[in-house]
Structure formats: C-alpha cells, structure tokens
Amino acid sequence: MSNDYAIVIPTRNRPEQMRAALASCAEGRPDSVRVVVSYPSIESSARDALCVLCATFKATYIQCAEPCLRSTHRNEPPL
C-alpha cells in the first residue's frame, strides 16, 4: 500500500521529546500515514539512539548530509 500522508518531525538533541512525539504519532495511526524523522547531526550516539526509537515506533529515519542550523533544517526542500 502506498502512503497517502506523511508526518515529518525535524529534531535535534531532544531524545525525550522525540520519544513522546513518536509515541503520539504511533497511537492509532493508519497504515497510510508514514512518519519520517529528520536529524541534522552526525553524533553517532544520538543517531544510534534515534534509530532505535524510529524502529520501535515504525518511523523512517533520514539524516541530513551534514550538520546544519535548526533554521536551515526546517527550511530544507522535501525529498
């Protein structure tokens, strides 16, 4: 089934808030809604923890090619 809608969550260095956001998105979410998490940092420990969270809540993780400021991260063109 193709995804009809996507929820995109840009984040940086806020693991406790990311867990809450992913849990909220997962609750009652139909299969037609995809959750995508975008993280602009290359810190391996934070990235690894975020990947585990994404797998737990069936979200797709994408990483920016290089670290960027929050204002730049929010304004990136869609994939």
Side-chain angles (χ1 to χ4, degrees):
M1 175 186 276
S2 67
N3 295 112
D4 298 325
Y5 299 97
I7 299 169
V8 179
I9 306 172
T11 187
R12 184 173 185 153
N13 301 331
R14 298 177 184 184
E16 65 287 340
Q17 292 166 333
M18 179 51 51
R19 175 178 283 286
L22 286 169
S24 176
C25 290
E27 188 174 319
R29 180 179 81 212
D31 290 338
S32 62
V33 177
R34 178 179 178 195
V35 176
V36 178
V37 175
S38 173
Y39 186 67
S41 182
I42 57 171
E43 300 165 7
S44 63
S45 61
R47 181 185 62 237
D48 293 346
L50 187 55
C51 286
V52 169
L53 277 175
C54 287
T56 300
F57 292 103
K58 298 180 183 174
T60 301
Y61 168 79
I62 60 171
Q63 182 177 334
C64 299
E66 58 187 49
C68 56
L69 299 173
R70 185 182 303 173
S71 59
T72 304
H73 186 224
R74 278 195 312 251
N75 295 319
E76 283 188 61
L79 297 174

Coordinates of all heavy atoms in Angstrom, one line a residue:
M1 N 0.8 -1.2 0.0 CA 0.0 0.0 0.0 C 0.9 1.2 0.0 O 1.9 1.3 0.7 CB -0.9 0.0 1.2 CG -1.7 1.3 1.4 SD -2.7 1.3 2.9 CE -4.1 0.4 2.5
S2 N 0.6 2.2 -0.8 CA 1.3 3.4 -0.9 C 0.9 4.3 0.3 O -0.2 4.3 0.8 CB 1.2 4.2 -2.2 OG -0.2 4.6 -2.3
N3 N 1.8 5.2 0.7 CA 1.5 6.1 1.8 C 0.7 7.3 1.2 O 1.2 7.9 0.2 CB 2.7 6.6 2.5 CG 3.4 5.5 3.2 OD1 4.5 5.0 2.8 ND2 2.8 5.0 4.2
D4 N -0.4 7.7 1.8 CA -1.1 8.9 1.3 C -0.7 10.1 2.0 O -0.8 11.2 1.5 CB -2.6 8.6 1.6 CG -3.2 7.5 0.8 OD1 -2.7 7.2 -0.3 OD2 -4.0 6.8 1.4
Y5 N -0.2 10.0 3.2 CA 0.2 11.2 4.0 C 1.5 10.9 4.8 O 1.8 9.7 5.0 CB -0.8 11.5 5.1 CG -2.2 11.8 4.5 CD1 -3.2 10.9 4.4 CD2 -2.4 13.1 4.0 CE1 -4.4 11.2 3.8 CE2 -3.6 13.4 3.4 CZ -4.6 12.5 3.3 OH -5.8 12.8 2.7
A6 N 2.2 11.9 5.1 CA 3.4 11.8 5.9 C 3.5 12.8 7.0 O 3.1 14.0 6.8 CB 4.7 11.9 5.0
I7 N 4.0 12.4 8.1 CA 4.3 13.3 9.2 C 5.8 13.4 9.3 O 6.5 12.4 9.4 CB 3.7 12.8 10.6 CG1 2.2 12.6 10.5 CG2 4.1 13.7 11.7 CD1 1.6 11.8 11.7
V8 N 6.3 14.6 9.2 CA 7.8 14.8 9.2 C 8.1 15.5 10.5 O 7.5 16.6 10.8 CB 8.2 15.6 8.0 CG1 9.7 15.9 8.0 CG2 7.8 15.0 6.7
I9 N 9.0 14.9 11.2 CA 9.5 15.5 12.5 C 10.9 15.9 12.4 O 11.8 15.0 12.5 CB 9.3 14.5 13.6 CG1 7.8 14.0 13.7 CG2 9.6 15.1 15.0 CD1 7.6 12.8 14.6
P10 N 11.2 17.2 12.3 CA 12.7 17.6 12.4 C 13.1 17.7 13.9 O 12.3 18.1 14.7 CB 12.7 19.0 11.7 CG 11.3 19.5 12.0 CD 10.4 18.3 12.0
T11 N 14.2 17.2 14.2 CA 14.6 17.2 15.6 C 16.1 17.4 15.7 O 16.9 17.2 14.8 CB 14.2 15.9 16.3 OG1 14.5 16.0 17.7 CG2 14.9 14.7 15.7
R12 N 16.6 17.7 16.9 CA 18.0 17.8 17.2 C 18.2 17.8 18.7 O 17.7 18.7 19.4 CB 18.6 19.1 16.6 CG 20.1 19.1 16.8 CD 20.8 20.2 16.0 NE 22.2 20.1 16.2 CZ 23.1 20.5 15.3 NH1 22.6 21.2 14.3 NH2 24.3 20.4 15.6
N13 N 18.9 16.8 19.2 CA 19.3 16.8 20.6 C 18.1 16.9 21.6 O 18.3 17.5 22.6 CB 20.3 17.9 20.9 CG 21.6 17.7 20.0 OD1 21.9 16.6 19.6 ND2 22.2 18.8 19.7
R14 N 17.0 16.2 21.3 CA 15.9 16.2 22.2 C 15.3 14.8 22.3 O 14.1 14.6 21.9 CB 14.8 17.2 21.7 CG 15.3 18.6 21.7 CD 14.3 19.6 21.2 NE 14.8 20.9 21.1 CZ 14.1 21.9 20.8 NH1 12.9 21.8 20.4 NH2 14.7 23.1 20.7
P15 N 16.0 13.9 22.8 CA 15.6 12.5 22.7 C 14.3 12.2 23.5 O 13.4 11.5 23.1 CB 16.7 11.7 23.3 CG 17.5 12.6 24.1 CD 17.4 14.0 23.4
E16 N 14.1 12.9 24.7 CA 12.9 12.7 25.5 C 11.7 13.2 24.8 O 10.6 12.6 24.8 CB 13.0 13.3 26.9 CG 13.1 14.8 26.9 CD 14.5 15.4 26.5 OE1 15.5 14.7 26.5 OE2 14.5 16.6 26.1
Q17 N 11.8 14.3 24.1 CA 10.7 14.9 23.3 C 10.4 14.1 22.1 O 9.3 13.9 21.6 CB 10.9 16.4 23.0 CG 10.9 17.2 24.2 CD 11.5 18.6 24.0 OE1 12.3 18.8 23.1 NE2 11.1 19.5 24.8
M18 N 11.5 13.5 21.5 CA 11.3 12.7 20.3 C 10.5 11.4 20.6 O 9.6 11.0 19.9 CB 12.6 12.3 19.6 CG 12.5 11.5 18.4 SD 11.4 12.0 17.1 CE 11.9 13.7 16.9
R19 N 10.8 10.8 21.7 CA 10.1 9.6 22.2 C 8.6 9.9 22.3 O 7.7 9.2 21.8 CB 10.6 9.1 23.5 CG 9.8 7.9 24.0 CD 10.4 7.3 25.3 NE 11.5 6.5 25.0 CZ 11.5 5.3 24.5 NH1 10.3 4.7 24.2 NH2 12.6 4.6 24.4
A20 N 8.3 11.1 22.9 CA 6.9 11.5 23.1 C 6.2 11.8 21.8 O 5.0 11.4 21.6 CB 6.8 12.7 24.0
A21 N 6.9 12.4 20.9 CA 6.3 12.7 19.6 C 6.1 11.5 18.8 O 5.0 11.3 18.1 CB 7.3 13.7 18.8
L22 N 7.0 10.5 18.8 CA 6.8 9.3 18.0 C 5.7 8.4 18.6 O 4.9 7.9 17.9 CB 8.1 8.5 18.0 CG 9.2 9.0 17.1 CD1 10.5 8.3 17.3 CD2 8.8 8.9 15.6
A23 N 5.6 8.4 19.9 CA 4.5 7.7 20.6 C 3.2 8.2 20.2 O 2.2 7.5 20.0 CB 4.7 7.6 22.1
S24 N 3.1 9.6 20.2 CA 1.9 10.2 19.9 C 1.5 9.9 18.4 O 0.3 9.7 18.1 CB 2.0 11.7 20.0 OG 0.9 12.4 19.6
C25 N 2.4 9.9 17.5 CA 2.2 9.7 16.1 C 1.8 8.2 15.9 O 1.0 7.9 15.0 CB 3.4 10.0 15.3 SG 3.7 11.7 15.1
A26 N 2.3 7.3 16.7 CA 2.1 5.9 16.5 C 0.7 5.5 17.0 O 0.1 4.5 16.5 CB 3.1 5.1 17.3
E27 N 0.2 6.2 18.0 CA -1.1 5.8 18.6 C -2.3 6.0 17.6 O -2.6 7.1 17.1 CB -1.4 6.7 19.8 CG -2.6 6.2 20.6 CD -2.7 7.0 21.9 OE1 -1.6 7.3 22.5 OE2 -3.8 7.4 22.2
G28 N -2.8 4.9 17.2 CA -4.0 4.9 16.3 C -3.7 5.3 14.8 O -4.6 5.6 14.1
R29 N -2.4 5.3 14.5 CA -2.0 5.7 13.1 C -2.4 4.7 12.1 O -2.0 3.5 12.2 CB -0.5 6.0 13.1 CG 0.0 6.5 11.7 CD 1.5 6.7 11.7 NE 2.2 5.5 11.6 CZ 3.4 5.2 12.2 NH1 4.0 6.1 12.9 NH2 4.0 4.1 12.0
P30 N -3.1 5.1 11.0 CA -3.4 4.1 10.0 C -2.2 3.8 9.1 O -1.2 4.6 9.1 CB -4.5 4.9 9.1 CG -4.3 6.3 9.5 CD -3.7 6.4 10.8
D31 N -2.2 2.7 8.4 CA -1.0 2.3 7.6 C -0.7 3.3 6.5 O 0.4 3.4 6.0 CB -1.3 0.9 7.0 CG -1.2 -0.2 8.0 OD1 -0.6 0.0 9.1 OD2 -1.8 -1.2 7.8
S32 N -1.7 4.1 6.1 CA -1.5 5.0 5.0 C -0.7 6.3 5.5 O -0.4 7.1 4.6 CB -2.8 5.5 4.4 OG -3.6 6.1 5.4
V33 N -0.4 6.4 6.7 CA 0.4 7.6 7.2 C 1.8 7.1 7.6 O 2.0 6.3 8.4 CB -0.3 8.2 8.5 CG1 0.5 9.4 9.0 CG2 -1.7 8.7 8.1
R34 N 2.8 7.8 7.0 CA 4.2 7.5 7.2 C 4.7 8.5 8.1 O 4.5 9.7 7.9 CB 4.9 7.5 5.8 CG 6.3 7.2 5.9 CD 6.9 7.2 4.5 NE 8.3 7.0 4.5 CZ 9.1 7.2 3.5 NH1 8.7 7.7 2.4 NH2 10.4 7.0 3.7
V35 N 5.6 8.1 9.1 CA 6.3 9.1 9.9 C 7.7 9.1 9.5 O 8.4 8.0 9.4 CB 6.1 8.7 11.4 CG1 6.9 9.7 12.3 CG2 4.6 8.7 11.8
V36 N 8.3 10.3 9.3 CA 9.7 10.5 8.9 C 10.3 11.4 9.9 O 9.8 12.5 10.2 CB 9.8 11.1 7.5 CG1 11.2 11.3 7.1 CG2 9.0 10.2 6.5
V37 N 11.5 11.0 10.4 CA 12.2 11.8 11.4 C 13.5 12.2 10.7 O 14.3 11.4 10.1 CB 12.6 10.9 12.6 CG1 13.5 11.7 13.5 CG2 11.3 10.5 13.4
S38 N 13.7 13.5 10.7 CA 14.9 14.1 10.1 C 15.8 14.7 11.2 O 15.4 15.5 12.0 CB 14.5 15.2 9.1 OG 15.6 15.9 8.6
Y39 N 17.1 14.2 11.2 CA 18.0 14.6 12.2 C 19.3 15.2 11.6 O 19.9 14.5 10.8 CB 18.4 13.4 13.1 CG 19.2 13.7 14.3 CD1 18.7 14.5 15.3 CD2 20.5 13.2 14.4 CE1 19.4 14.7 16.5 CE2 21.3 13.5 15.5 CZ 20.7 14.2 16.6 OH 21.5 14.5 17.7
P40 N 19.6 16.5 11.9 CA 20.7 17.1 11.2 C 22.1 16.9 11.7 O 23.1 17.4 11.2 CB 20.4 18.6 11.3 CG 19.7 18.7 12.6 CD 18.9 17.4 12.7
S41 N 22.3 16.1 12.8 CA 23.6 16.0 13.4 C 24.2 14.6 13.0 O 23.5 13.7 12.6 CB 23.4 16.0 14.9 OG 24.7 15.9 15.5
I42 N 25.5 14.6 13.2 CA 26.2 13.3 12.8 C 26.8 12.7 14.1 O 27.6 11.7 14.0 CB 27.4 13.5 11.8 CG1 28.4 14.6 12.3 CG2 26.8 13.9 10.5 CD1 29.6 14.7 11.5
E43 N 26.4 13.1 15.3 CA 26.8 12.5 16.5 C 26.3 11.0 16.6 O 25.1 10.8 16.6 CB 26.3 13.2 17.7 CG 26.7 14.7 17.8 CD 25.8 15.5 18.7 OE1 25.0 14.9 19.5 OE2 26.0 16.7 18.7
S44 N 27.3 10.1 16.6 CA 26.9 8.7 16.5 C 26.0 8.2 17.6 O 25.1 7.4 17.4 CB 28.1 7.8 16.3 OG 28.9 7.9 17.4
S45 N 26.3 8.6 18.9 CA 25.5 8.1 20.0 C 24.0 8.5 19.9 O 23.1 7.8 20.1 CB 26.1 8.4 21.3 OG 26.1 9.9 21.4
A46 N 23.8 9.8 19.6 CA 22.5 10.3 19.4 C 21.8 9.7 18.2 O 20.6 9.4 18.3 CB 22.5 11.9 19.3
R47 N 22.5 9.6 17.1 CA 21.9 9.0 15.9 C 21.5 7.5 16.2 O 20.4 7.1 15.8 CB 22.9 9.1 14.8 CG 22.4 8.5 13.5 CD 23.4 8.5 12.4 NE 24.5 7.6 12.8 CZ 25.8 8.0 12.8 NH1 26.2 9.2 12.5 NH2 26.8 7.1 13.2
D48 N 22.4 6.8 16.9 CA 22.0 5.4 17.2 C 20.8 5.3 18.0 O 19.9 4.4 17.8 CB 23.2 4.7 17.8 CG 24.4 4.6 16.9 OD1 24.3 4.8 15.7 OD2 25.5 4.3 17.4
A49 N 20.7 6.1 19.0 CA 19.5 6.1 19.9 C 18.3 6.5 19.1 O 17.2 5.9 19.3 CB 19.7 7.1 21.1
L50 N 18.4 7.4 18.3 CA 17.2 7.9 17.5 C 16.8 6.7 16.5 O 15.6 6.5 16.3 CB 17.6 9.1 16.7 CG 16.4 9.8 15.9 CD1 15.2 10.1 16.9 CD2 16.9 11.1 15.3
C51 N 17.7 6.0 15.9 CA 17.4 4.9 15.0 C 16.6 3.8 15.8 O 15.7 3.3 15.3 CB 18.7 4.3 14.4 SG 19.4 5.3 13.1
V52 N 17.0 3.6 17.0 CA 16.3 2.6 17.9 C 14.9 3.1 18.1 O 13.9 2.3 18.0 CB 17.0 2.3 19.2 CG1 16.2 1.5 20.1 CG2 18.4 1.6 18.9
L53 N 14.7 4.3 18.5 CA 13.4 4.9 18.7 C 12.5 4.8 17.4 O 11.4 4.4 17.5 CB 13.5 6.4 19.1 CG 13.7 6.7 20.5 CD1 13.9 8.2 20.7 CD2 12.6 6.1 21.4
C54 N 13.1 5.1 16.3 CA 12.4 5.1 15.0 C 11.9 3.6 14.7 O 10.8 3.4 14.3 CB 13.2 5.6 13.9 SG 13.4 7.4 13.9
A55 N 12.8 2.7 14.9 CA 12.4 1.3 14.7 C 11.3 0.8 15.6 O 10.4 0.1 15.2 CB 13.7 0.4 14.9
T56 N 11.4 1.3 16.9 CA 10.4 0.9 17.9 C 9.0 1.4 17.4 O 8.0 0.7 17.6 CB 10.7 1.5 19.2 OG1 12.0 1.0 19.6 CG2 9.7 1.2 20.3
F57 N 8.9 2.6 16.9 CA 7.7 3.2 16.5 C 7.4 3.2 15.0 O 6.5 3.9 14.5 CB 7.6 4.7 17.0 CG 7.6 4.8 18.5 CD1 8.7 5.1 19.3 CD2 6.4 4.5 19.2 CE1 8.7 5.2 20.6 CE2 6.4 4.6 20.6 CZ 7.5 4.9 21.3
K58 N 8.1 2.4 14.3 CA 7.9 2.2 12.9 C 7.9 3.5 12.1 O 7.0 3.8 11.3 CB 6.6 1.4 12.6 CG 6.6 0.0 13.2 CD 5.3 -0.7 13.0 CE 5.3 -2.0 13.7 NZ 4.1 -2.7 13.6
A59 N 8.9 4.3 12.4 CA 9.1 5.5 11.7 C 10.4 5.4 10.8 O 11.3 4.6 11.0 CB 9.3 6.7 12.7
T60 N 10.4 6.2 9.7 CA 11.6 6.2 8.8 C 12.5 7.3 9.3 O 12.1 8.4 9.6 CB 11.1 6.5 7.4 OG1 10.2 5.6 7.0 CG2 12.3 6.6 6.4
Y61 N 13.8 7.0 9.4 CA 14.8 7.9 9.8 C 15.6 8.4 8.6 O 16.0 7.6 7.8 CB 15.8 7.2 10.8 CG 17.0 8.0 11.1 CD1 17.0 9.0 12.0 CD2 18.2 7.7 10.5 CE1 18.2 9.8 12.2 CE2 19.4 8.4 10.7 CZ 19.3 9.4 11.6 OH 20.5 10.2 11.8
I62 N 15.8 9.7 8.5 CA 16.7 10.2 7.4 C 17.6 11.2 8.1 O 17.3 11.8 9.1 CB 15.9 10.9 6.3 CG1 15.1 12.1 6.8 CG2 15.1 9.9 5.5 CD1 14.5 12.9 5.7
Q63 N 18.8 11.3 7.6 CA 19.9 12.1 8.1 C 20.3 13.1 7.1 O 20.5 12.8 5.9 CB 21.1 11.3 8.6 CG 22.1 12.2 9.2 CD 23.3 11.3 9.7 OE1 23.1 10.1 10.0 NE2 24.5 11.9 9.8
C64 N 20.5 14.4 7.5 CA 21.0 15.4 6.6 C 22.4 15.0 6.2 O 23.1 14.3 7.0 CB 21.0 16.7 7.3 SG 19.4 17.3 7.8
A65 N 22.8 15.5 5.0 CA 24.2 15.1 4.6 C 25.3 15.7 5.5 O 26.3 15.1 5.6 CB 24.3 15.7 3.1
E66 N 25.0 16.8 6.1 CA 25.9 17.4 7.0 C 25.2 18.2 8.1 O 24.0 18.5 7.9 CB 26.9 18.4 6.3 CG 26.2 19.5 5.5 CD 27.1 20.3 4.7 OE1 27.9 19.7 3.9 OE2 27.1 21.5 4.8
P67 N 25.8 18.4 9.3 CA 25.1 19.1 10.3 C 24.7 20.5 9.8 O 25.4 21.1 9.0 CB 26.2 19.3 11.4 CG 27.2 18.2 11.1 CD 27.2 18.0 9.6
C68 N 23.5 21.0 10.3 CA 23.1 22.3 9.9 C 22.3 23.0 11.1 O 21.9 22.3 12.0 CB 22.2 22.2 8.7 SG 20.8 21.1 8.9
L69 N 22.2 24.3 11.0 CA 21.4 25.0 12.0 C 20.0 24.6 12.0 O 19.4 24.2 10.9 CB 21.6 26.5 11.7 CG 23.0 27.0 11.8 CD1 23.0 28.5 11.3 CD2 23.6 26.9 13.2
R70 N 19.3 24.8 13.1 CA 17.9 24.5 13.1 C 17.1 25.2 12.1 O 16.2 24.7 11.5 CB 17.3 24.8 14.5 CG 15.9 24.3 14.7 CD 15.3 24.7 16.0 NE 16.1 24.1 17.1 CZ 15.8 24.3 18.3 NH1 14.9 25.1 18.7 NH2 16.6 23.8 19.3
S71 N 17.3 26.5 11.9 CA 16.6 27.3 10.9 C 16.8 26.7 9.5 O 15.8 26.7 8.7 CB 17.0 28.8 10.9 OG 18.4 28.9 10.7
T72 N 18.0 26.3 9.2 CA 18.2 25.7 7.9 C 17.5 24.3 7.8 O 16.9 24.0 6.7 CB 19.7 25.5 7.7 OG1 20.4 26.7 7.8 CG2 20.0 24.9 6.3
H73 N 17.5 23.6 8.8 CA 16.9 22.2 8.8 C 15.4 22.3 8.6 O 14.9 21.5 7.8 CB 17.2 21.6 10.2 CG 16.8 20.2 10.3 ND1 16.1 19.7 11.4 CD2 16.9 19.1 9.5 CE1 15.8 18.5 11.3 NE2 16.3 18.1 10.1
R74 N 14.8 23.3 9.2 CA 13.3 23.4 9.0 C 13.0 23.8 7.6 O 11.9 23.5 7.1 CB 12.8 24.5 9.9 CG 12.5 24.0 11.3 CD 11.6 25.1 12.0 NE 12.1 26.4 11.9 CZ 12.7 27.1 12.8 NH1 12.8 26.6 14.0 NH2 13.1 28.3 12.6
N75 N 13.9 24.5 6.9 CA 13.6 25.0 5.6 C 14.1 24.2 4.4 O 14.2 24.7 3.3 CB 14.1 26.5 5.5 CG 13.4 27.4 6.4 OD1 12.2 27.3 6.6 ND2 14.1 28.3 7.1
E76 N 14.6 23.0 4.7 CA 15.1 22.1 3.7 C 14.0 21.8 2.7 O 12.8 21.5 3.1 CB 15.7 20.8 4.2 CG 17.0 21.0 4.8 CD 17.6 19.7 5.2 OE1 17.8 18.8 4.3 OE2 17.9 19.5 6.4
P77 N 14.3 21.7 1.4 CA 13.2 21.2 0.5 C 12.9 19.8 0.7 O 13.7 19.0 1.2 CB 13.9 21.4 -0.9 CG 15.3 21.4 -0.6 CD 15.5 21.9 0.8
P78 N 11.6 19.4 0.4 CA 11.2 18.0 0.6 C 12.0 17.1 -0.3 O 12.5 17.4 -1.3 CB 9.7 18.0 0.2 CG 9.5 19.2 -0.5 CD 10.6 20.2 -0.2
L79 N 12.1 15.8 0.1 CA 12.8 14.8 -0.6 C 12.1 14.5 -1.9 O 10.9 14.5 -2.0 CB 13.0 13.5 0.2 CG 13.9 13.7 1.4 CD1 13.9 12.4 2.2 CD2 15.3 14.0 1.0

